[in-house]
Amino acid sequence: MKIKRRDFLKVSAAAGAVAVIGGPSLNAFAQTTAPKKKAMGEAAGEWIPSTCQGCTTWCPIEIFVQEGRAVKVRGNQLSKANGGYVCVRGHLLLQQTYDPDRIKTPMKRTNPQKGRGIDPKFVPISWDEAVDTIADKLIELRRNNETHKYLLMRGRYSDHNTILYDNLTKMLGSPNNISHSSICAEVEKMGRFFTEGFWGYSDYDLDKMKYLITWACDPLSSNRQIPNAVTKFQRLLSEGTVVAIDPRMSNTAAKAHEWMPIKPATDGALGVAMAHVILTEGLWNKEFVGDFKDGKNKFRKGREVKEEDFNEKHSYGLVKWWNLELKDKDAAWAAKETGLDRNQIERVARGFAKAAPNCAIWFGPNMQPRGTYSALAMHALNGLVGATDNEGGLVTGMSAPSSSYPKFDAYQDDLAKAGAKNKKIDQRGYKTFPNLASGRPGSGVSANNVANAILAEDPYDIKVAIGYFVNYNFSTMETGRWDKAMAKVPFFVHVVPMVSEMTQFADIVLPSALHHTEDWAIVRSKANLYGHISIQQPVVERMFDVRGAETEFVWLLAEKLRDKGFPNVYDWLHNEYKDPETGKKPTDGLEFAIYATKIRSQKAWDPAENKDYKGDKPSGWEDFRKKGVVNSPRFEFRKKWGTPEEGNFPTATKKFEFYSETLKKALTEHAEKHNTTVDDILTVTNYEARGEKAFVPHYETQLRHGSRTEYPFDLVDMKSRLNREGRSANLTWYHAFKKCDPGDVNFDDVVQINPADAQKLGIKDGDMVKVTSVVGSLTVRARLWEGIRPGTAAKCYGQGHWAYGSVGTKDYAKFEPRGANFNEIMVDDYDRLSGSSARNGGFTGVKITKV
């Protein structure tokens, strides 16, 4: 039975689905049967623990279930990360669970043509038929010795991603496990790694902090640790100082004591100028950084300093940094570059340093073409005032106990081993893609470049692809490339709970269980100076024919591969994933999912494994299930400081590096691999630095697409506090509360323009405008707002879906989007040192005309 596109979101008897609502609904709990007359509030209920994955805070939560239905969400009352609170994203998961437009059964494509605007003509099929078809394609790759032409694309994940994303991909014989992380936030990690050797995200001691600078991020609505930030901000606003640096007035900026509406992509200029002020006024943290041997400050504008005159303690290369970059770049210079007031720059730099070490720069993704050096400049300030690894400042590390997954090596045959040694499809490690994650050339991912590689067949073509919880045809920059690339892939499987743009290119569609309410998994994260490990478990019975993507689907595929003569995957899962309590081997996908969850968390719940642990200690598996979370001990400060003679920072020098020997080593290794110089690498990757300046935080001018004459506005990409990892657009609550994002409006999609700019263009509030870049145009409603810096235009990510359900899409049958997806007109570019996609910093210039 074929499904007409207009009826795609409606009931199919063959699918065994329940009735859905034909248009927008305010009912978060679409009933599968007629509701009982008794009000739900009268029924007894139970709080069941799980974990929210609306953002990368990954909060432990509890879901209140009455008569089998999830009706309320709160933070896990035992969680030390969120204090028992949850942000708006957690509440939205109720509508996500009961979204009537969810995919209800496996489907296959019957129209061989692929492209935007082409109906796939999906028909419902069984899981058996779907997985059997997938297994045939994988066996064909093995038969043709082309296992490396298999591609796995990962979106939202749990710890169980190790099974599907990593281990299975290698067992099948492919190097191509591609994460979405490089389109999200990888650049900020560069700032931390190449100064203090930490590849990850910081936490902040908000209880003891006196001065906080939020820079290119909005902790009250996006980024990480939102419930903790919301809870702790009131004290900080009352007793301390908050400064927000952002071209747009964010939620944090609206509450901050000072807002610095910086010109996009000039963050590095502000960072080095603040360092100049701190050094020339003698405000650096001498206990951490060191001091001049004679005790006299020799940092004077325009004057070089002798390195031998300075006695370093827990830092390295401060004088080099001064001589190479800082000595001439004062606040007056930065004011011209950034468009900020000189006095404000100096005032903020002084206030920040005088509050040290009870202060922090909380900086965001910096996803701009030269973002690595901006991130370095921001984080170097944390080192300069001794705030890193210090009470009242910022911290790294922290984790709760977890056990390793069973090894697969003994089950990986020679064919798979050989295939997995091929180059990765995203071209990491090419001369123009150093991708220096964790300081290793070619180790970082470049997810958005996969489309270019597929189209060019460089390093080879892709024949079979699986994507789960991912929608690159919407979420990446210059999305049209992905439409072409996915149309070229001969066989694509999409494992997702909701139909999306990427689904339109699928040959097989598999309905995934939702992590937070229907699946078994483990998640680890941190906040509020505590690490945690928390559970995800079914809190309601599954309404549709869904499976866990990272476990149950893998089990079904393993069975089919075994039946077709390749038993290795099945033998690995069946023999190694035993129940830690009973030793029983799994016999089906659900048992496998439960055993994998118990295995991963065993060190957290097993008394024999956690007896020496200093954090929470459940009495066993059932106790862990009931409580849902294990908290680590509170973070202990200054462990990285070590002694002046021997530091503990995991950098090349074992100290906090203002001159990064760690970056120098990584760049030199990449250059030598390509028989060239570091300067040549910097040239082909579009950075301005040459020579020694490449190894210190410095200001790189904006790399921008579109001349200012023709495209005068810098496009600012902003994030909504309502986006559940970009998966909220089909939820009516998302649209009903959209004005919670400053400058936005409910039930509409807008581009924010400063009234002064709008007046020059003859644009009024509510007018439809055409926004054009060098790669395309979109039409959207204008919102005139003083909270956006003149010369910029801000647009919230999340709307503009042309294939995303009856609410998220204006007319699904006609591929007519609701709003505009500005990713379509943002240029495909990269911060190539990290491999990350550019989406910030106004790198895309646009012009705006009234329609």
Side-chain angles (χ1 to χ4, degrees), residues 434-445:
N435 296 34
L436 306 177
S438 297
R440 302 189 304 271
S443 60
V445 63

Side-chain angles (χ1 to χ4, degrees), residues 598-726:
K598 295 173 76 171
I599 288 169
R600 182 56 167 168
S601 58
Q602 186 174 4
K603 283 187 178 180
W605 58 261
D606 189 342
E609 298 278 342
N610 67 13
K611 59 183 178 180
D612 296 324
Y613 185 58
K614 304 301 183 183
D616 297 342
K617 295 180 181 179
S619 61
W621 165 247
E622 287 301 324
D623 191 34
F624 175 56
R625 274 194 63 190
K626 182 178 179 181
K627 292 176 178 175
V629 63
V630 168
N631 300 292
S632 76
R634 191 173 187 272
F635 181 82
E636 296 181 22
F637 297 100
R638 296 200 177 195
K639 283 191 172 182
K640 286 185 178 180
W641 284 35
T643 66
E645 293 76 26
E646 186 175 351
N648 287 332
F649 285 96
T651 60
T653 62
K654 303 299 181 183
K655 295 187 176 186
F656 189 100
E657 296 181 345
F658 297 113
Y659 177 96
S660 183
E661 295 286 358
T662 307
L663 177 56
K664 186 176 185 177
K665 177 182 177 182
L667 271 174
T668 300
E669 182 180 341
H670 182 72
E672 290 177 348
K673 174 184 175 182
H674 293 280
N675 299 311
T676 188
T677 64
V678 170
D679 279 359
D680 182 44
I681 295 297
L682 293 168
T683 299
V684 299
T685 52
N686 298 321
Y687 296 90
E688 296 176 321
R690 299 292 182 270
E692 294 284 278
K693 184 175 281 193
F695 314 125
V696 298
H698 66 270
Y699 174 46
E700 298 252 339
T701 59
Q702 184 186 50
L703 194 162
R704 189 177 190 271
H705 296 272
S707 69
R708 289 206 173 272
T709 302
E710 187 175 358
Y711 302 96
F713 292 92
D714 289 330
L715 182 59
V716 174
D717 170 70
M718 59 179 260
K719 301 299 183 293
S720 171
R721 69 189 310 169
L722 301 163
N723 273 344
R724 287 189 55 78
E725 286 286 321

Side-chain angles (χ1 to χ4, degrees), residues 4 9 17 23 61 64 162 216 243 259 321 477 582 589 662 778 794 813 829:
K4 294 181 180 179
L9 301 176
I61 60 171
F64 195 59
T162 297
V243 177
W259 173 39
W321 186 26
M477 282 53 68
T582 66
T662 307
L778 288 170
D829 204 347

Side-chain angles (χ1 to χ4, degrees), residues 31-251:
Q31 295 285 340
T32 57
T33 59
K36 298 180 179 180
K37 292 182 179 180
K38 183 174 64 173
M40 291 300 290
E42 298 176 11
E46 178 185 9
W47 288 103
I48 302 176
S50 189
T51 305
C52 178
Q53 287 192 288
C55 73
T56 46
T57 301
W58 295 350
C59 277
I61 60 171
E62 295 173 338
I63 300 173
F64 195 59
V65 179
Q66 290 178 306
E67 297 187 343
R69 301 192 64 78
V71 298
K72 191 175 182 179
V73 181
R74 70 183 183 187
N76 190 310
Q77 301 300 289
L78 300 176
S79 172
K80 295 181 180 179
N82 60 27
Y85 295 97
V86 69
C87 78
V88 63
R89 290 181 178 87
H91 299 292
L92 286 172
L93 70 80
L94 296 172
Q95 281 201 333
Q96 189 179 42
T97 299
Y98 294 108
D99 188 335
D101 291 340
R102 284 181 59 183
I103 303 171
K104 302 169 180 67
T105 188
M107 298 180 293
K108 69 177 179 182
R109 183 185 207 93
T110 61
N111 183 359
Q113 292 185 322
K114 294 183 179 182
R116 179 168 178 170
I118 296 176
D119 187 349
K121 299 188 184 301
F122 288 125
V123 298
I125 57 173
S126 67
W127 273 91
D128 185 75
E129 180 183 348
V131 180
D132 190 71
T133 303
I134 298 167
D136 280 340
K137 297 295 183 181
L138 295 173
I139 292 295
E140 184 179 353
L141 290 181
R142 287 182 57 83
R143 187 180 301 117
N144 296 332
N145 197 25
E146 293 181 319
T147 59
H148 59 290
K149 296 185 178 183
Y150 165 71
L151 166 65
L152 189 284
M153 295 172 284
R154 183 192 76 182
R156 178 50 48 233
Y157 61 95
S158 73
D159 274 22
H160 290 345
N161 83 94
T162 297
I163 301 167
L164 171 60
Y165 165 75
D166 184 83
N167 294 356
L168 179 64
T169 305
K170 292 172 181 175
M171 286 199 68
L172 293 174
S174 175
N176 293 317
N177 50 341
I178 302 296
S179 165
H180 73 293
S181 57
S182 64
I183 66 172
C184 292
E186 292 296 90
V187 182
E188 67 175 276
K189 296 179 183 177
M190 299 287 280
R192 298 185 190 99
F193 187 82
F194 290 111
T195 51
E196 64 170 291
F198 174 67
W199 185 261
Y201 305 111
S202 296
D203 190 16
Y204 303 86
D205 185 6
L206 296 178
D207 284 326
K208 299 292 182 66
M209 193 173 293
K210 298 177 182 178
Y211 204 111
L212 173 63
I213 297 177
T214 65
W215 200 333
C217 68
D218 187 4
L220 296 181
S221 66
S222 58
N223 205 257
R224 291 164 182 83
Q225 308 164 15
I226 300 160
N228 185 53
V230 170
T231 304
K232 301 296 178 64
F233 249 58
Q234 182 57 51
R235 185 210 66 82
L236 186 55
L237 289 168
S238 299
E239 301 176 11
T241 302
V242 176
V243 177
I245 304 172
D246 199 308
R248 175 186 160 272
M249 182 172 281
S250 62
N251 281 281

Side-chain angles (χ1 to χ4, degrees), residues 44 355 421 755 805:
K421 292 180 180 179

Side-chain angles (χ1 to χ4, degrees), residues 8-9 95-105 107 127 155-156 467-471 494-500 503 509-519 543-549 724 727-728 730 804-805:
F8 180 85
L9 301 176
Q95 281 201 333
Q96 189 179 42
T97 299
Y98 294 108
D99 188 335
D101 291 340
R102 284 181 59 183
I103 303 171
K104 302 169 180 67
T105 188
M107 298 180 293
W127 273 91
R156 178 50 48 233
Y468 77 101
F469 280 85
V470 67
N471 185 18
H494 209 199
V495 191
V496 282
M498 279 289 300
V499 65
S500 69
T503 311
V509 181
L510 298 178
S512 173
L514 290 169
H515 292 104
H516 44 69
T517 48
E518 300 174 328
D519 207 359
M543 298 174 290
F544 312 122
D545 192 13
V546 300
R547 301 288 189 278
R724 287 189 55 78
R727 299 180 180 91
S728 301
N730 206 55
Y804 207 68

